[in-house]
Amino acid sequence: MEQSTRFLILSLEGEHYAFRITSLLEITVPRGIQKDAKLSEIFEGKMNHRNKMIPVVNLKKILKLSGPPGAVLLVMQSSKGILGLLADSVIELLDSTQKPFPMPPGVVDPSLPYFAGVLKDKQGLVLLLSEDGLWP
Amino acid sequence: MTNSYLLFRLAERLFGVRLQGAIEILPWRPSRKVPLAYSYIDGIMDYRGAVYPVFNLTQVLGITRTGQIGFASAETDDIRKGQSIILLQTGKNLYGIIVDSVVKMISLDDAPGEVTTVKGINTNLITGVRNEDGQDVILLSFERLFHAG
């Protein structure tokens, strides 16, 4: 039997993106984000998560999308540490037995670390994001 | 040696691309946009189990469309709805190009044509210009697009 992998599908400005569920620690509401002038502009600030201050990143700023920062906070475990990511909404959990497609060559600069591949859901193509690549 | 070429129109010019594998011609449909993609990428699309990058050829070639009274015209949805997407293969790379219309498939010999600059077009992808039935056909190769960056 083929092994299935579970992905979290989220929405940013109406388009679907995904993370591997294994890197997700928690889905919550962003509360008490403290601005920190020392952080770069992609950070919304820092937030207390279970007695630990974690950086909170605005995914839309990383991906150069317009719109407000997002009303859902995804707390992710990356190889570089725990990171909070702001998204507009969580859509669903997708179980897929298919391996993600690689991003086709010629689309983005190959040195960009943000995309881990392409998935398909009911609505169409979903860009799989790399939690390690998003860590600034 | 002769090869098959597909001729298509874009912004009132005639272009040709050598066919190297399977080809599909589809009515234009919206692609999945990719943030941070190169400016000439329309998006990516799923077709029969494969993911294709879709190139916006007017952007790739630096062509400006002329509007009603000589001003540059943006690519509107009305223009898009009459266009086609040609799905092609170059080596291992699958990709799509957006064209105004598909004209015909012809055989051309591979002897180098007259490589020349073509006014108003980015010449990076031009491999030659041939005259077919009294019309100039600008021959293109898209290989370079896969080595950008």
Side-chain angles (χ1 to χ4, degrees), chain A residues 16-17 101 105 107 109 120 125, chain B residues 32 35 37-38 41 46 49 53 93:
Chain A
H16 289 188
Y17 295 81
F101 294 91
V107 176
D109 184 332
K120 289 186 213 172
L125 296 176
Chain B
R32 167 55 159 104
Y38 294 118
I41 291 288
D46 169 31
N93 296 309

Side-chain angles (χ1 to χ4, degrees), chain A residues 15-17 62-65 101-110 112 114-115 118 120 125-127, chain B residues 32-38 40-41 43-46 48-53 55 93 145-146 148-149:
Chain A
E15 296 272 24
H16 289 188
Y17 295 81
I62 292 184
L63 298 173
K64 297 204 170 14
L65 299 172
F101 294 91
M103 178 66 80
V107 176
V108 294
D109 184 332
L112 275 181
Y114 308 138
F115 302 108
V118 182
K120 289 186 213 172
L125 296 176
V126 178
L127 302 183
Chain B
R32 167 55 159 104
K33 302 295 174 203
V34 177
L36 308 172
Y38 294 118
Y40 51 77
I41 291 288
I44 55 177
M45 66 177 279
D46 169 31
R48 293 190 178 167
V51 177
Y52 290 73
F55 295 108
N93 296 309
L145 294 177
F146 299 101

Side-chain angles (χ1 to χ4, degrees), chain A residues 65-132:
Chain A
L65 299 172
S66 58
V72 174
L73 183 77
L74 310 174
V75 182
M76 312 288 296
Q77 176 74 61
S78 81
S79 63
K80 298 171 186 172
I82 296 176
L83 183 67
L85 296 167
L86 292 170
D88 288 340
S89 59
V90 168
I91 304 295
E92 63 173 342
L93 291 176
L94 174 74
D95 288 306
S96 177
T97 53
Q98 283 196 329
K99 270 178 66 177
F101 294 91
M103 178 66 80
V107 176
V108 294
D109 184 332
S111 68
L112 275 181
Y114 308 138
F115 302 108
V118 182
L119 300 168
K120 289 186 213 172
D121 73 357
K122 284 169 278 183
Q123 284 202 351
L125 296 176
V126 178
L127 302 183
L128 177 62
L129 299 172
S130 161
E131 56 279 359
D132 285 342

Side-chain angles (χ1 to χ4, degrees), chain A residues 14-33:
Chain A
E15 296 272 24
H16 289 188
Y17 295 81
F19 281 108
R20 284 176 210 279
I21 197 79
T22 48
S23 55
L24 179 71
L25 298 176
E26 196 171 324
I27 302 171
T28 184
V29 178
R31 273 202 202 98
I33 296 176

